[in-house]
Amino acid sequence: MKKLIFILFLFCINDIYSEEINKNIFINKDDFTKNDIKDEYDKIISENLKGLEYSDENVNLNNDNESNTLICNSYELFKKGKSLYNEKKYYDAKEIFEQLIDPIRKDNIYAPYALFYCALINYNLGELNDSRYFFEYLKDRYSDWEQINEVIFWLAKINFENKKYLSAIKIINEIKEINQKKVYFKKGNLVFKRSIKKNKRIFLEELIKLKKYYLINADTPLPLQKILEKYPKDELTKDILAKRIALDPFINLENPWSQNIIKKFNLNIAKYDLFYNLKSIKKKSYNIAVMLPFFCDSILKKGNTFVLNLYKGINLALENLRNQGLKINLYCYDTKKNTEIVNKLLQQKELETMNLIIGPLYPNTVNIVADFAKEKRINMVNPLSYNSDLAKNNPFVFLFKPSSETQAYKAIEYIYEDKMKEKKIGIIHSSNKKDLKKALLFKKYIEKDQNNTIDLMMELDDIQAQLFLRKFRNNKDHKKTEKQIEEEEKQKAIFDNITHLYVATNNKLIIGSILAIIEMRKIKPVIIGHQKWLEYKSVDFGKIQKYKILLIAPEFINYNKNKIHKFRLKYYKKYQELPDLYSCIGYEIMNYFGNALEKYGIYFQKEWNNKEVAETKIFEKVSYNKFRDNQEIEILTLKNGKFNEKVYAEKFHPYIYSINNKEYAFN
């Protein structure tokens, strides 16, 4: 009989610890250093961490059958609670686990695991304070628990999420030392021999990754400053703060706050700011390379006209600069949209003498030239892309156009200048990847920077847009039940409470459907769109002029201005044709960056912060400050049936810090 009980108990114990207790409880804390990857981060957090190993020969029993029965009954409860947890039935699971938490009996082997689950349940329910309470109770009551360091990890994580950075760092610094050794644990009448798989080094690496993730993503550098004031020898925090000061567009290195922090903590700014020790030399003459897909061997290549017009604009601006006395040597290279050809071109020593590169245009060639520019310390500008990834981690790459991120910022800036107290914000987008990216950026900035929520997020394609519009038409069906009619009315009211609607697409069908629905519902949200809408005959702004519409216009040209007429006349005289948008872009790029070289030298970005580089010849304004994409965007507003432009030139959340009770704005 005793032998039978012993075998049954071994079966329970092995099943419990090998499959149930340690499965999906703990986490494999992978790389936490990436930005803007919350979904991936959540996925990492949910991965498994293998638990402790048990051996049958290391289990000692006595004749206490009542205790053995209690353990097996508790196992069934634990199994049920875990199943409910995996099904995300958190409230039901919590009730089960709370039964396993016995405040009196310390020999309850399930208590720490049940507490751990209760803490995780509260975390998943968004109750961070309750989750922290369970973890702290577990840490205090079961300080010798074999997985106590997992508890410390979660306590640090929760403090980071609550932005209690100093508390999190304190927890990490107090981590107990763990050695790779075997430990004996006594639980009542049972003695287990357990092999701790993870040693101190591995666990501390995981904590460092956690710390790195949250410090990198801190809203401002202030928490980093406070950590260093408490722990001045914290090298990781020093490194992150140095990178933040060097690369954050809002922080001016010459600002007293920056200078004070750099000196006080001996920060290595030069590690991240490649210009920190570079001098912007002014030269007697400058070499500029134009790397475009000319396809010189097939000059009449279909679809290549825009490249030629871009170059014509560059060439015309070059003539004007030379007439002003600027000495610029222009070198043209045909990339043919081919990576092999670009690699061969970059092997020419001549390219290493360039002071500026204009182009290339296509991603496959841009990345190659960008790497070359970074290695050789040569500035380059992309004329047509909105993609900020091209300039990411490369301070020598500029976008002439405002990036998708900057456009989203400008739209949000407009929304929050609106005096309306309660804002209900909706986003409509297509299934197109670019539209989805714009929508997600807009959502991210609303939620993160403005601490607001998105009340409506909807994706439509052509067919869905038409079907969606059909629901709003007054087609009465007498066969429908009252419940069906009531449900349809609820669906029709989806936009009724929206105060600001961002339509993140240039799809004609979607735009037309949304505007028609707004007109039918007789509602008046602020509608945010793109200047491309002006080109669509299907969008009748005359019908909806009573509504408030604004269009983000990164390529807007006011043809009523005298300087535009002068440029068009000059262009026509030279080429016997009128300029298009690409001609205008080419002209403005050469005018702006040519003057930047003449005025500030080869590393003009070191000098041009908040300074006017040159008067623009076509667009209203061009400016970069410490950014690497153009910060100037026209906002067109519909008023009295006409669009009037409004320019927003500044970011909407400059940092302000204090040193010795004095305030300094980063500008």
Side-chain angles (χ1 to χ4, degrees), residues 164-316:
K164 295 181 178 179
Y165 296 95
L166 277 175
S167 297
I169 300 298
K170 184 180 178 183
I171 290 168
I172 290 173
N173 289 343
E174 289 176 353
I175 183 70
K176 290 183 176 181
E177 289 192 6
I178 307 174
N179 297 314
Q180 186 82 11
K181 63 183 180 180
K182 291 184 179 178
V183 183
Y184 289 88
F185 292 90
K186 186 176 181 181
K187 296 291 183 184
N189 299 316
L190 308 177
V191 178
F192 300 103
K193 184 180 180 183
R194 306 175 181 180
S195 173
I196 297 180
K197 285 189 172 181
K198 294 199 308 173
N199 61 25
K200 175 187 174 183
R201 180 184 58 80
I202 296 172
F203 189 73
L204 288 179
E205 284 176 1
E206 293 169 347
L207 284 171
I208 288 168
K209 289 177 183 177
L210 177 79
K211 175 181 173 182
K212 191 174 182 181
Y213 174 82
Y214 282 102
L215 294 189
I216 284 174
N217 289 287
D219 292 335
T220 75
L222 273 180
L224 308 180
Q225 178 185 351
K226 289 180 179 179
I227 290 168
L228 288 177
E229 285 168 353
K230 180 75 173 177
Y231 304 103
K233 294 182 180 180
D234 188 332
E235 294 300 326
L236 176 61
T237 304
K238 277 187 182 182
D239 191 59
I240 294 170
L241 182 56
K243 186 174 182 180
R244 186 69 176 264
I245 291 175
L247 302 181
D248 194 317
F250 292 104
I251 301 177
N252 188 335
L253 281 173
E254 302 305 318
N255 187 280
W257 180 87
S258 301
Q259 290 297 311
N260 179 64
I261 294 299
I262 292 168
K263 185 178 179 180
K264 184 176 181 179
F265 300 117
N266 193 26
L267 302 182
N268 184 8
I269 300 298
K271 179 179 177 182
Y272 297 106
D273 185 352
L274 298 179
F275 296 97
Y276 197 65
N277 294 323
L278 289 179
K279 290 185 178 180
S280 188
I281 301 168
K282 290 186 178 182
K283 304 178 72 175
K284 292 181 179 179
S285 65
Y286 296 94
N287 297 334
I288 297 179
V290 177
M291 302 186 74
L292 297 174
F294 292 107
F295 290 97
C296 295
D297 50 356
S298 53
I299 197 68
L300 297 177
K301 182 178 174 65
K302 189 177 179 181
N304 199 42
T305 306
F306 80 97
V307 176
L308 298 178
N309 290 342
L310 186 68
Y311 176 71
K312 287 176 183 177
I314 291 171
N315 199 43
L316 183 60

Side-chain angles (χ1 to χ4, degrees), residues 96-144:
I96 298 295
F97 288 124
E98 284 176 347
Q99 295 178 44
L100 294 170
I101 302 170
D102 189 336
I104 299 174
R105 292 180 50 205
K106 278 197 172 185
D107 63 341
N108 182 355
I109 63 171
Y110 289 95
Y113 292 97
L115 281 165
F116 198 97
Y117 264 113
C118 285
L120 288 184
I121 287 168
N122 279 293
Y123 179 85
N124 288 323
L125 292 173
E127 303 291 341
L128 295 188
N129 289 332
D130 289 344
S131 178
R132 189 179 72 246
Y133 169 79
F134 274 103
F135 280 126
E136 286 176 347
Y137 180 81
L138 175 54
K139 178 174 173 283
D140 294 339
R141 185 171 177 81
Y142 298 94
S143 57
D144 292 329

